Amino acid sequence: MFQGFYGLLTVMLCVLFAIVAILFNLAPITYIVFGIAIVLSLLLQYRRFKKQAISERIHSRMACALFVIITLSISWLIADWVKYDTQTTYDQMDGFEFSTMDWKRGWPNNDELPEGLKRPKELPEGVLRASASGDSLVWANAYPTRYTVLEGDPKVISQYEMIAKQNATYTAQIDADGVLRDLDTGEKKRFISHPNSYNIVESIEEESLNLPERTFIEWLRFAPRKETKTVVKDTYNSTRNHRLYVFVDDGNTKRPHFVELLISNDGTRAVFYQSK
């Protein structure tokens, strides 16, 4: 039965459908489109297999209809997928709500930072991930801190470091053992009240969420959605293997106050840190 051009077309359609069904969570319209195309292709094969008489005109019309349906439907599906995925990606990158934990909350006070490192209204392009922590109840914590962690393009991170080099009152290198050393000579330096760890966004998981019902058109266009929402999880990170730029340090070891910027050795992470 599966012979000739239409036989090859039917087999290819079935294989393509199987691959797409395995790789993607398909919307109902996808099943409908592939179903119609495969049924039409099988119908052409069946009539030929049964050797039923069919005029050349009808045969040509069915073949043309099959070709047009397959081409338009699959083209529309691909265009719709690309448009939806692009818009979703843009919305996620534009807002940062899904992965930042309110990065502004952890940014140090502007009056203690040099110009260029003050808190911006929006994060610059090239920052791929951000996380923050800030203690709102100062009286409840003997050593409250606030910090923002930015990860992304080394070119963006290097701009922060360049400003820090020009304005820092104290610089050091925190080696793999957590020892403070001179940036140039590697000589051990005096103790300074810098943090020894921080948290950063590491993974995004999902939990149950009740979403509004879809219209019939939305049901056709989009795959069956999971009733979920994104949840940000943090992971522990050490400040070792970072370059340290200190802007404020009152020298108080019992209740220290400092404002500083840490840059990871690979230049992909910046940590703005402040103790209150």
Side-chain angles (χ1 to χ4, degrees), residues 179-226:
V179 178
L180 283 166
R181 298 183 180 276
D182 186 274
L183 275 173
D184 300 320
T185 64
E187 178 187 357
K188 287 186 178 181
K189 306 297 289 185
R190 69 176 179 86
F191 174 80
I192 188 172
S193 303
H194 68 85
N196 58 14
S197 65
Y198 56 86
N199 292 324
I200 190 170
V201 173
E202 182 68 14
S203 63
I204 298 177
E205 295 187 354
E206 295 176 325
E207 68 179 23
S208 179
L209 177 70
N210 294 323
L211 298 175
E213 294 183 2
R214 283 177 170 167
T215 64
F216 177 72
I217 298 300
E218 289 176 333
W219 176 80
L220 278 177
R221 288 183 60 199
F222 301 108
R225 63 190 177 192
K226 300 176 181 178

Side-chain angles (χ1 to χ4, degrees), residues 5 8 13-14 53 75 88 107 109 111 114 118 141 155 163 173 175 196 199 217 230 232 259 273 275:
F5 171 75
L8 178 62
L13 279 172
C14 293
S75 297
T88 301
W107 207 282
N109 295 329
D111 56 357
K118 298 183 183 299
N141 194 331
K155 294 181 180 179
I163 298 173
Q173 172 77 30
D175 64 16
N196 58 14
N199 292 324
I217 298 300
T230 54
V232 178
V259 181
Y273 227 114
S275 70

Side-chain angles (χ1 to χ4, degrees), residues 27-272:
I29 189 64
T30 311
Y31 291 98
I32 295 173
V33 168
F34 273 102
I36 292 175
I38 292 173
V39 167
L40 283 176
S41 181
L42 286 172
L43 181 60
L44 287 171
Q45 285 296 299
Y46 179 76
R47 295 186 71 105
R48 176 171 293 184
F49 177 73
K50 290 295 185 179
K51 297 182 179 179
Q52 295 181 359
I54 181 173
S55 66
E56 190 67 26
R57 186 177 180 181
I58 295 177
H59 183 274
S60 298
R61 286 182 177 179
M62 292 182 68
C64 288
L66 177 62
F67 177 78
V68 171
I69 289 174
I70 292 174
T71 303
L72 292 180
S73 298
I74 293 182
S75 297
W76 178 81
L77 279 174
I78 293 175
D80 195 58
W81 287 343
V82 171
K83 179 182 177 181
Y84 181 74
D85 290 344
T86 302
Q87 185 63 42
T88 301
T89 302
Y90 174 78
D91 291 341
Q92 290 177 341
M93 294 301 295
D94 183 58
F96 274 93
E97 292 88 350
F98 74 103
S99 64
T100 64
M101 298 164 46
D102 189 6
W103 59 270
K104 292 183 179 180
R105 182 186 64 181
W107 207 282
N109 295 329
N110 282 340
D111 56 357
E112 294 189 306
L113 285 173
E115 202 64 40
L117 297 184
K118 298 183 183 299
R119 185 181 65 197
K121 293 183 179 179
E122 296 181 358
L123 290 178
E125 295 184 5
V127 175
L128 303 180
R129 293 195 299 180
S131 63
S133 175
D135 298 299
S136 57
L137 299 176
V138 178
W139 57 267
N141 194 331
Y143 302 98
T145 60
R146 58 193 300 175
Y147 61 88
T148 294
V149 185
L150 308 179
E151 277 195 314
D153 188 343
K155 294 181 180 179
V156 176
I157 304 301
S158 66
Q159 295 176 3
Y160 291 117
E161 184 170 17
M162 182 173 60
I163 298 173
K165 285 180 180 179
Q166 298 171 354
N167 295 275
T169 58
Y170 186 90
T171 62
Q173 172 77 30
I174 307 176
D175 64 16
D177 298 320
V179 178
L180 283 166
R181 298 183 180 276
D182 186 274
L183 275 173
D184 300 320
T185 64
E187 178 187 357
K188 287 186 178 181
K189 306 297 289 185
R190 69 176 179 86
F191 174 80
I192 188 172
S193 303
H194 68 85
N196 58 14
S197 65
Y198 56 86
N199 292 324
I200 190 170
V201 173
E202 182 68 14
S203 63
I204 298 177
E205 295 187 354
E206 295 176 325
E207 68 179 23
S208 179
L209 177 70
N210 294 323
L211 298 175
E213 294 183 2
R214 283 177 170 167
T215 64
F216 177 72
I217 298 300
E218 289 176 333
W219 176 80
L220 278 177
R221 288 183 60 199
F222 301 108
R225 63 190 177 192
K226 300 176 181 178
E227 301 297 303
T228 60
K229 68 177 179 180
T230 54
V231 177
V232 178
K233 278 199 170 184
D234 292 343
T235 185
Y236 171 88
N237 282 263
S238 172
T239 57
R240 297 178 179 182
N241 292 316
H242 280 70
R243 295 183 290 276
L244 176 67
Y245 301 91
V246 181
F247 309 112
V248 176
D249 178 20
D250 64 2
N252 188 341
T253 58
K254 292 184 177 180
R255 190 178 179 87
H257 174 66
F258 54 89
V259 181
E260 57 194 35
L261 173 69
L262 296 96
I263 304 291
S264 61
N265 277 356
D266 59 6
T268 62
R269 183 184 299 117
V271 184
F272 290 88

